[in-house]
Amino acid sequence: MKKITFFLFLIFAAATADAQKNKSKKTENDKLQPMNEIKVPLTASQWSFADGKVMFLEHKGVNTMKILPDAGVVELKDTQFKDGTIEFDVESTIEDSPSIYFHRKDDKEQEVFYLRLARANNKLANDAVQYAPVIGGVVMWDMYDQYQASAHTMVGQWNHIKLVISGLQMLVFVNDMNNPTLMIPKLEGNITEGKIAFEDPSIIANLIIKPNLTEGLSPLAGFDLTKHDAYFLRNWKLSEPIFLPAGQEPLFNKLPVDSDFVGNIEAERMGLINLTRQFGKTPERRMVCLKLKFYSERMQSKKMQLGFSDDVWVFVNNQFAFSDKNNYHNANARKYPDGRISTLNSSFSINLKEGENELLIAVSNSFYGWGIIPRLEDLKGISFIK
């Protein structure tokens, strides 16, 4: 009996050792290639692209996808991406800005991250990389200055990119997989799931998608550090847009009346009044007017900070107070920071009377995103009329 028991013990021990060995092998294999890791083939059958504009070839010992000039968007077929990790290598020239789109519905609704390789030799350039939503067909690069960063990028060499997307947040890693280059506390696009695509001349290699692997990143939006700032003017009455031909100034000998303000708009994060999200793309120059009313306990002057894109005209109690332009393509009219919208665009004083006051801001636009970021220096002696 003792011999049988000892024999059974040896069989059990051997089986346990084999199981542990197989488990160890499986664990090592899982580390090498997780079950939810997708190595995307860089072959013509996997992608939608314009004829003659994309090449699939071996480059520097790996299979690659080469996007030629004027190729347009090159879209991965049969893939819907929501949360997870996207990793790839990209090589391009100093003239190019290789882009990756995600959460792509179509050209009008998607999100994009891109490199400006013209900044590759400038470690202090704060616009070496950028994230931007595409809303209504408008790439909102000029409306989100805070979503740019410096980065160590290289021309004519592989740049390794990793995007970690979890719900409303994203981390971007560029060549340094330990420290994020860009942190997006809230993705600003209208779409939260969609296709993946690339654009601009570049060579793409080693594309890996890891659905739902988010490295512990919270899916909830991060804090908006301006939310507690009461000095932003956040709630406005809004008129319908009208066309304003290029180069023409509006006629304000008859300002809009109360009945012209048919809508309302509320500031988004960072105090942004986002007219692009409200009205979409501007194929021609358009103008809208925004208005709010408030009480002042006494006659006083208040300094106002105003971010704007592109042109603004400000009136207080039907009296002209300020106008300016923020046009990226005109160096003389390009406001700091480099034509982006920011409260650093302008600062001026408005004169208030005792009692009820009316602030009216007209905004026109013909280039990418449009909106305003209005903020007073303080609210002493002021109360708002709802």
Side-chain angles (χ1 to χ4, degrees):
M1 185 69 181
K2 289 182 179 180
K3 289 182 179 180
I4 294 174
T5 301
F6 181 68
F7 180 71
L8 290 175
F9 172 76
L10 290 177
I11 293 175
F12 175 76
T16 301
D18 286 342
Q20 290 293 333
K21 186 177 181 180
N22 290 333
K23 182 178 179 181
S24 178
K25 286 182 179 179
K26 184 178 179 182
T27 301
E28 289 301 317
N29 288 334
D30 285 347
K31 287 180 181 178
L32 293 173
Q33 187 171 355
M35 293 297 290
N36 52 349
E37 177 177 295
I38 302 168
K39 294 183 177 179
V40 179
L42 298 176
T43 56
S45 61
Q46 300 294 318
W47 299 84
S48 297
F49 54 90
D51 289 344
K53 292 296 184 179
V54 179
M55 300 172 63
F56 298 89
L57 44 81
E58 184 175 307
H59 175 69
K60 295 183 177 179
V62 295
N63 293 326
T64 68
M65 177 172 69
K66 183 176 183 178
I67 303 173
L68 302 178
D70 304 316
V73 174
V74 180
E75 188 177 88
L76 180 61
K77 294 179 180 179
D78 304 322
T79 298
Q80 288 290 310
F81 178 84
K82 184 177 182 180
D83 295 326
T85 301
I86 305 171
E87 286 193 69
F88 61 97
D89 294 316
V90 59
E91 177 184 312
S92 193
T93 68
I94 198 167
E95 292 86 9
D96 299 315
S97 298
S99 306
I100 178 171
Y101 296 101
F102 58 96
H103 294 167
R104 172 178 165 83
K105 178 183 177 183
D106 50 32
D107 288 343
K108 292 184 177 181
E109 301 294 338
Q110 56 189 331
E111 307 195 74
V112 60
F113 169 77
Y114 56 97
L115 289 71
R116 293 188 180 96
L117 289 179
R119 315 293 193 264
N121 296 321
N122 185 353
K123 296 181 180 179
L124 301 179
N126 200 48
D127 60 349
V129 297
Q130 180 161 9
Y131 154 78
V134 180
I135 298 173
V138 181
V139 183
M140 302 282 282
W141 66 272
D142 58 338
M143 305 299 285
Y144 295 101
D145 177 64
Q146 68 271 27
Y147 294 155
Q148 302 181 116
S150 59
H152 172 58
T153 55
M154 298 172 287
V155 174
Q157 301 181 55
W158 291 126
N159 293 280
H160 189 67
I161 312 298
K162 181 169 77 169
L163 311 181
V164 180
I165 299 162
S166 178
L168 293 174
Q169 293 201 55
M170 178 171 75
L171 297 178
V172 179
F173 299 80
V174 178
N175 291 323
D176 180 351
M177 298 300 107
N178 295 315
N179 300 293
T181 299
L182 195 58
M183 295 170 280
I184 308 300
K186 181 180 182 297
L187 293 167
E188 300 288 353
N190 291 329
I191 305 298
T192 59
E193 181 175 4
K195 294 184 177 181
I196 293 171
F198 292 91
E199 191 175 21
D200 296 303
S202 55
I203 302 173
I204 307 298
N206 301 317
L207 174 59
I208 296 174
I209 302 172
K210 303 174 184 177
N212 302 315
L213 288 181
T214 59
E215 301 186 5
L217 181 63
S218 171
L220 303 178
F223 294 113
D224 174 7
L225 297 180
T226 67
K227 188 174 183 178
H228 63 273
D229 189 335
Y231 300 162
F232 284 95
L233 305 179
R234 301 179 184 274
N235 297 283
W236 295 77
K237 297 288 186 181
L238 185 67
S239 72
E240 288 292 327
I242 62 172
F243 289 105
L244 184 67
Q248 181 175 310
E249 295 288 308
L251 298 175
F252 284 121
N253 56 341
K254 185 180 179 182
L255 292 172
V257 297
D258 285 350
S259 59
D260 294 321
F261 293 88
V262 295
N264 298 280
I265 190 168
E266 184 177 348
E268 300 182 1
R269 296 167 67 92
M270 307 294 289
L272 172 64
I273 305 295
N274 191 340
L275 296 173
T276 304
R277 202 184 299 275
Q278 186 87 1
F279 296 118
K281 194 171 185 177
T282 302
E284 300 178 75
R285 190 179 187 222
R286 291 191 294 175
M287 184 185 74
V288 299
C289 292
L290 303 101
K291 182 180 71 173
L292 63 77
K293 295 182 179 181
F294 53 90
Y295 281 107
S296 177
E297 293 178 357
R298 61 189 181 277
M299 183 184 297
Q300 58 178 321
S301 178
K302 290 289 186 186
K303 184 170 286 186
M304 184 173 186
Q305 298 170 306
L306 182 62
F308 57 94
S309 180
D310 295 331
D311 306 336
V312 291
W313 300 265
V314 180
F315 293 82
V316 180
N317 298 323
N318 294 327
Q319 299 298 310
F320 174 78
F322 175 80
S323 70
D324 208 346
K325 300 179 183 298
N326 185 14
N327 297 327
Y328 179 81
H329 284 311
N330 183 346
N332 294 324
R334 187 186 303 164
K335 298 299 180 187
Y336 179 86
D338 202 25
R340 278 76 165 169
I341 190 172
S342 166
T343 53
L344 298 175
N345 292 157
S346 68
S347 178
F348 54 94
S349 294
I350 57 174
N351 297 317
L352 308 179
K353 65 182 181 180
E354 182 180 350
E356 183 176 301
N357 291 264
E358 180 180 279
L359 175 61
L360 185 148
I361 301 178
V363 191
S364 77
N365 180 70
S366 56
F367 177 76
Y368 287 91
W370 61 324
I372 58 173
I373 307 176
R375 184 181 183 275
L376 293 178
E377 65 176 350
D378 65 67
L379 296 178
K380 294 177 181 177
I382 288 178
S383 59
F384 290 100
I385 300 172
K386 295 184 179 181

